[in-house]
Each structure stands twice: as structure tokens, then as C-alpha cells.
Amino acid sequence: MSLVNIATRRLLLHAKNALPAFGAGVRNASESTDLREVLARQIPEKQKEVKEFRKECGSKVIGEIQVDMLYGGMRGMKGLVTETSVLDPNEGIRFRGYSLPECQKLLPKAPGGSEPLPEGLFWLLVTGDIPTDAQVKAISQEWNERAAVPYHVVQMLNNFPDSLHPMSQFSAAISAMNSESKFAEAYAQGVNKTTYWEYTYEDSMNLIAKLPTVAAIIYRNLYKDGKVSPISMDMDWSGNFSQMLGYDNDMFTELMRLYLTIHSDHEGGNVSAHTVHLVGSALSDPYLSFAAGMNGLAGPLHGLANQEVLVWLTKLREQVGDNVSDENMREFIWSTLKSGQVVPGYGHAVLRKTDPRYECQREFALKHLPDDPMFKLVSQIYKLVPDILLEQGKAQNPWPNVDAHSGVLLQYYGMTEMNYYTVLFGVSRALGTLASLIWDRAFGLPLERPKSMSTEGLKKLVGR
Ligand code: CMX
């Protein structure tokens, strides 16, 4: 049985960061390094803005709903407010208005590193401001201080059978951590609803801080010796995570910083984000809300696709061998489609171009692993799959998404356990979904309850 030593040890790691170079139009409204304080100042202003907007425009019509949308997974139906990010079908994700390349350029980096620190992205998602180096460092420290995982959760994880999928372990552990929920405790004591955001904030910060340790316990229990190294107080969130996973490699840590940044948020309608928002609207605490989102992320059409891609690539290599010709690869892709399966990592419900999250992972690979055989295979697939999907004529978007590339980078650094990949996605997704949940409670959004209809009722409604 592994014991997580939550005592901390100090490592002399980080020299003082240089301040990031801010370009024109970059917002950084506050000097304070206390995120809670910055948020507390913003919330009344935003509440006022929304109140006035709703008073003036609350009854304006913003779209029409067609029958097909009800049967078609509500595609294109505008039905949610999410402040943290917006997805453009052609351009991809913008976090608080900043594109992915802009975030890569503007967000603070670790000393000597070139990838953004996810702590900075979290600050941006919560506040809308690009943080300073000092603000990011304060978040790293706060998360390190909040990282202790309750012993009953460690015990529970240690007792799970190896056959239980890592995502089931992850979600169960997150639910079980609601023993720590400040929100649930405050609600039970009958606190005023205007203060809900404060407890949601505390729970969110605690949960994000604990996730790397939970994820590392799962990894070390399933695939290694069950021992997890302790948190180092002077390390950043990704540095600690890499170390706890057992990867003593600066480039793996850099990959984690990039990975945990780019998987964080994809506006509000995707399954994981929407689920966290929906369950949170019942005032289930942030642990329960986020665990529900993780059960959605574990679906093969959503986050589990990163596992499916590696399973599919492995099958391809087994069946057609290495150095596969374009012709043989085309045949393999067609055989996948003809057997009624999807090509994992391709297509998207909103995107209509190559996902910028795919592109930045490809750039990482071109820089650090240009000769890796799996990377070459993924590049060859990228050349062939879009034309085949277009020829088949079904997929609205034949281009690759984030999941088509992530596993290849992980396997290069030795993380070959593909069943585990979605857990990494989940750790990152906490940043976006919990930033949104804090604002949901700050805005006092109500219980979510859209109207559903029967086919019979719909027919009557359209006069048929
Ligand atoms: N391979 C084969 N067929 C595909 C396909 C793909 N990659 N992408 C879409 N299609 C098919 C759909 O299955 C659907 O077929 P039917 O009409 O027989 O039902 C048809 O094309 C139309 O689908 P669509 O409107 O283009 O796509 P949806 O919005 O319904 O679904 C998605 C989007 C992502 C579920 C789909 O593209 C898919 O299954 N992709 C593979 C799985 C994947 O990579 N998921 C990860 C997405 C990113 C993430 O959330 O992590």
C-alpha cells in the first residue's frame, strides 16, 4: 500500500522569473497577488453589468430553434452563458479573448522554460487578465499549500482493483473528497446565497491543488511501485505533478505545462464543462459537480478519444507494420469507417478547421521529437484522413482535434499507458470548469432546467 507523504520538502528550483513582456492591448488590471481579493473586487462590477444588460436586453431574440436541433444534440443552439472562453469554428478557442498562440506568448513561463504555466491560464480564466509573474507564483504556492489529500481517499484508491479504469478511480476519488467541501458545510449552516461564490472559490482552489496528487496515486498504483513523492513547495503545479508521476525529465514537465494549459477549457457546451455547470446548478458542491463532469470526459466521443487514438494507432502498427505505405494506411482507415467506427481524434461538434490545440502539439513535436516514428505516423495520418472523411461525406469536420496528437507526445517521454491519458485531460479540465463554476455562483445562476418535449408534442407544436 502506498503512503502519500504530504509533508513538504523544499527544493531550490526557481530563480526569480522575469516579468512577461506585455504587448499592446494586454489587460492586467491588478497588482494584487491574492486571486480571491481580485475576484472579490470584480464580482460586484460584473453583477451590475449583467443586471443592467438583462434589464435593457433581456427579452431580445437571439436565434431560432429548429426541430432537428432537439434530435441533433442541440448543435448550434445558444443556451448557455460561459465567460471563460469562446470557441470559433474556424479559429478555435479563445481564452478570455486571447487565442492559444497569444496565450503561449503572453502567459508567464517557468524559469528557463518556454511553455505557459497553467497557473497563469487559471488566473486569466478567472479574472480575464493576463497575470504577472508574481501573481502566477502566488497561485503555485497556494496550490502547494492546499495539496494534501484526505487519508480516506488515499486508502480508497489503494484498495481499488487494478482492473478499475483510471477515470473511474479519478471520478470516485473526487466525489469522496467532498468530505472537505467548504461549500457543503456552509450551505448546511444556512449561509446567505450572496456568499456562495466564496465557498465555491475555496473548494475549487483546494480541488485543483489536490488533483495532481490523486492522479499520481492512480498512476503509481496501477503502473509503478505505488509510491508517490511529496509535494515540493517551491515547484510549480506541473513540476510537482511530473515529479509525483515519477518523470524526472525537464522536457516532460514542459510538455505537462503545455498539456495542462491547452486542455483546460473549450467554452461551455462540451460534455464535461456543461455537466459541471449543470450539476453545480443544483448547488451540488464543486467536488460532486466536477466528478460528474469527469464521468462525461470519460466517454470515447469526448476525452477518452485520446486513449482511443493510441489504441487505434497500436492496432494500425500491429496490422500493417511500421513504415506503412500511404496506400496501406488508406485501406486501414477505410476499414475502420466501413466497420461502423469513428476515426478517433478527428472531427468536432463545433470546430471546422484543424484544432489549434493539435497545431501547437505538432509544433512541440517538430521541435522536440521530429524523428519519433509515432509522430511520423501521426503526420502521415494527418495527410490522409481529412480527404478520406470528405470522400465518405458524413463528418462535418474532417480535421484533427486535440486528442489526435496528445498521446504521441506522452509515449515519447515514456508514458505509454494509454488508459491513463484521459486522467491528464481531467486534471487540466478542472481549471476551466471550476473557474466557470465560481462565476456561476457569483452571478447567482439558477437551477438549470430546459424544457424537453415528446415527439408527439413536437409534431403538434409544428402543426403536423
Ligand atoms: N470518423 C468517422 N465518422 C465521423 C467522424 C470521425 N472522426 N466524425 C464524425 N463522423 C460521423 C458521425 O459519427 C456522424 O455519423 P452518423 O451520421 O452516422 O451519426 C456524422 O459523421 C456527422 O457527425 P458530425 O456532425 O460531423 O459530428 P458530431 O458533432 O455529431 O460529433 C464528434 C463530433 C467529435 C463526436 C465526432 O466527430 C467523432 O466521433 N469524432 C471521433 C471521436 C473524437 O475524436 N472525439 C474527441 C472530440 C474532442 C474532445 O471532446 O476531446
Side-chain angles (χ1 to χ4, degrees), residues 365-385:
L366 285 168
K367 199 164 146 197
H368 300 293
L369 46 134
D371 300 323
D372 177 59
M374 284 289 256
F375 171 54
K376 287 187 171 164
L377 196 65
V378 163
S379 302
Q380 194 183 3
I381 290 167
Y382 185 27
K383 272 196 328 198
L384 302 177
V385 168

Side-chain angles (χ1 to χ4, degrees), residues 75 301-302 305 337 342-343 345-349 394-396 401 403:
R75 296 288 183 286
L301 296 188
H302 190 19
L337 294 175
V342 295
V343 177
Y346 280 76
H348 200 273
K394 275 171 67 173
Q396 307 261 1
N401 59 57
D403 300 313

Side-chain angles (χ1 to χ4, degrees), residues 72 75 263 266 270-271 297 299-306 308-309 336-337 341-350 352 355 357 385 389 392-399 401-404 425 429:
R75 296 288 183 286
H263 286 79
H266 221 221
N270 66 77
V271 169
L297 193 74
L301 296 188
H302 190 19
L304 201 81
N306 61 7
E308 296 295 291
V309 167
T336 301
L337 294 175
Q341 295 165 53
V342 295
V343 177
Y346 280 76
H348 200 273
V350 179
R352 292 297 174 257
D355 191 337
R357 300 172 301 173
V385 168
L389 286 176
Q392 191 202 27
K394 275 171 67 173
Q396 307 261 1
N397 174 35
W399 303 105
N401 59 57
V402 67
D403 300 313
F425 194 155
R429 204 25 75 103

Side-chain angles (χ1 to χ4, degrees), residues 33-66:
T33 55
D34 183 344
L35 179 57
R36 193 178 196 280
E37 185 193 306
V38 173
L39 194 55
R41 261 189 274 125
Q42 280 191 353
I43 285 173
E45 288 167 31
K46 296 280 172 195
Q47 284 170 333
K48 188 163 166 267
E49 183 190 329
V50 171
K51 198 174 166 196
E52 284 170 6
F53 173 56
R54 289 185 65 182
K55 200 170 159 206
E56 196 188 320
C57 304
S59 58
K60 284 229 156 67
V61 177
I62 55 162
E64 57 179 27
I65 296 174
Q66 287 142 7

Side-chain angles (χ1 to χ4, degrees), residues 51-306:
K51 198 174 166 196
E52 284 170 6
F53 173 56
R54 289 185 65 182
K55 200 170 159 206
E56 196 188 320
C57 304
S59 58
K60 284 229 156 67
V61 177
I62 55 162
E64 57 179 27
I65 296 174
Q66 287 142 7
V67 170
D68 267 349
M69 289 173 163
L70 276 75
Y71 291 99
M74 298 193 278
R75 296 288 183 286
M77 200 189 276
K78 295 182 189 78
L80 295 166
V81 174
T82 304
E83 305 290 357
T84 50
S85 65
V86 175
L87 182 58
D88 179 88
N90 294 309
E91 195 193 37
I93 194 67
R94 275 190 180 266
F95 301 112
R96 291 283 192 169
Y98 295 99
S99 69
L100 197 46
E102 284 167 350
C103 286
Q104 283 181 281
K105 192 167 154 229
L106 294 169
L107 290 173
K109 323 277 185 296
S114 54
E115 301 302 338
L117 288 162
E119 288 91 324
L121 189 84
F122 182 68
W123 186 289
L124 172 65
L125 293 174
V126 172
T127 65
D129 297 331
I130 297 282
T132 62
D133 186 66
Q135 288 168 333
V136 163
K137 210 160 185 176
I139 296 285
S140 300
Q141 273 170 12
E142 225 183 309
W143 287 351
N144 288 342
E145 282 156 16
R146 293 169 182 255
V149 172
Y151 188 65
H152 71 271
V153 174
V154 178
Q155 257 181 323
M156 183 179 94
L157 287 169
N158 290 341
N159 284 333
F160 279 144
D162 287 357
S163 55
L164 187 61
H165 192 279
M167 277 305 278
S168 308
Q169 299 199 21
F170 192 52
S171 144
I174 294 162
S175 289
M177 281 200 298
N178 96 321
S179 55
E180 311 303 294
S181 175
K182 305 285 179 218
F183 181 90
E185 192 185 321
Y187 189 86
Q189 285 167 5
V191 299
N192 192 299
K193 67 202 297 192
T194 56
T195 65
Y196 285 171
W197 76 264
E198 296 173 23
Y199 304 102
T200 304
Y201 175 83
E202 287 304 317
D203 278 0
S204 298
M205 291 290 278
N206 285 336
L207 176 49
I208 293 169
K210 294 171 199 317
L211 285 176
T213 308
V214 169
I217 295 171
I218 295 169
Y219 184 73
R220 301 291 306 177
N221 276 352
L222 284 179
Y223 311 115
K224 307 288 174 186
D225 60 4
K227 294 199 178 95
V228 177
S229 65
I231 291 277
S232 301
M233 288 308 273
D234 293 340
M235 263 193 200
D236 61 277
W237 194 56
S238 317
N240 265 314
F241 190 22
S242 304
Q243 189 169 283
M244 287 189 289
L245 287 167
Y247 289 82
D248 193 13
N249 177 336
D250 288 348
M251 284 324 299
F252 182 82
T253 302
E254 275 288 275
L255 173 62
M256 275 299 109
R257 290 177 183 130
L258 177 68
Y259 189 107
L260 296 173
T261 297
I262 67 175
H263 286 79
S264 59
D265 208 31
H266 221 221
E267 72 170 34
N270 66 77
V271 169
S272 52
H274 189 185
T275 307
V276 176
H277 167 80
L278 168 69
V279 176
S281 85
L283 299 185
S284 305
D285 66 58
Y287 294 89
L288 297 179
S289 306
F290 183 65
M294 289 302 94
N295 290 336
L297 193 74
L301 296 188
H302 190 19
L304 201 81
N306 61 7

